[in-house]
Amino acid sequence: MPRIIKKEVSLTQYEADELDEVTQNLIETAKQSALRAYAPYSNFQVGAALLLDNGKIISGSNQENACYPAGLCAERVAFFSAKSQFPDCQILKVAIVAKPASQEQFKMATPCGSCRQVMSEYENNQEQHIKIYLPATDGSVYESDSVDNFLPFKFSNKDLNS
Ligand code: THU
């Protein structure tokens, strides 16, 4: 008999004022970063801001290129920047925001598959889970308590070693 293997994932929806000041500040930093995106081809601005366990906040925005695949998403710009400057740091939280360049309002965008894989690698290597914050258009904020919620049945270095 075939068996169904299930994995449950969940997000928690908060009102913005239910989040602590540090997290609200992280979201604001991600928004400021999105405004510095280099996105002349998609006109879609994305910002990511990471809180490290050393208290530092590292942010990034998407950087596009005339040779399209050479561009990089905001999340990977921020994660690679953080881990290249502070290789021993633990990443506690990441806020991710997005907005079409022609609009004032930010909208919720979940990370792409490649960024999920990159975030997952770093989460696997550290003791604590990385919390992800995604602000929505209605002012609420979705929180994920782990990258795993976005990448169930993930591929990791465990697969390479076994
Ligand atoms: N983008 C990100 O920065 N992060 C994502 O997770 C999804 C997509 C960027 C890549 C490209 O510059 C633009 O958004 C449109 O796909």
Side-chain angles (χ1 to χ4, degrees):
M1 273 295 278
R3 284 185 306 130
I4 294 173
I5 292 114
K6 280 190 183 172
K7 273 207 176 184
E8 200 175 350
V9 300
S10 67
L11 300 176
T12 309
Q13 187 180 17
Y14 289 97
E15 295 310 317
D17 60 9
E18 292 177 308
L19 297 170
D20 62 39
E21 214 174 299
V22 172
T23 307
Q24 289 186 37
N25 183 35
L26 199 65
I27 292 169
E28 187 48 40
T29 304
K31 287 183 177 176
Q32 292 305 317
S33 186
L35 300 179
R36 295 190 293 269
Y38 176 63
Y41 306 105
S42 70
N43 290 307
F44 191 69
Q45 301 173 302
V46 186
L50 275 57
L51 174 67
L52 310 184
D53 65 344
N54 60 11
K56 295 215 182 296
I57 290 181
I58 304 292
S59 62
S61 57
N62 52 328
Q63 299 295 315
E64 298 184 351
N65 194 277
C67 171
Y68 290 6
L72 200 60
C73 291
E75 296 91 323
R76 277 176 285 163
V77 170
F79 272 73
F80 292 155
S81 173
K83 292 303 283 190
S84 55
Q85 292 178 76
F86 305 104
D88 300 326
C89 74
Q90 303 229 346
I91 298 162
L92 305 180
K93 299 178 173 193
V94 54
I96 304 165
V97 304
K99 139 180 150 27
S102 58
Q103 292 173 22
E104 285 296 305
Q105 236 185 4
F106 285 87
K107 56 182 286 189
M108 182 163 148
T110 61
C112 81
S114 297
C115 291
R116 293 175 195 207
Q117 185 68 30
V118 165
M119 294 191 286
S120 175
E121 175 92 10
Y122 294 125
E123 180 171 84
N124 295 339
N125 287 347
Q126 62 180 45
E127 283 146 29
Q128 35 200 327
H129 288 166
I130 301 172
K131 289 190 171 180
I132 302 175
Y133 293 89
L134 303 170
T137 316
D138 65 5
S140 67
V141 177
Y142 290 85
E143 180 198 70
S144 166
D145 61 8
S146 166
V147 178
D148 275 352
N149 283 313
F150 289 105
L151 206 59
F153 304 108
K154 67 189 175 193
F155 177 82
S156 75
N157 55 9
K158 282 201 189 113
D159 297 294
L160 289 178
N161 297 335
S162 60

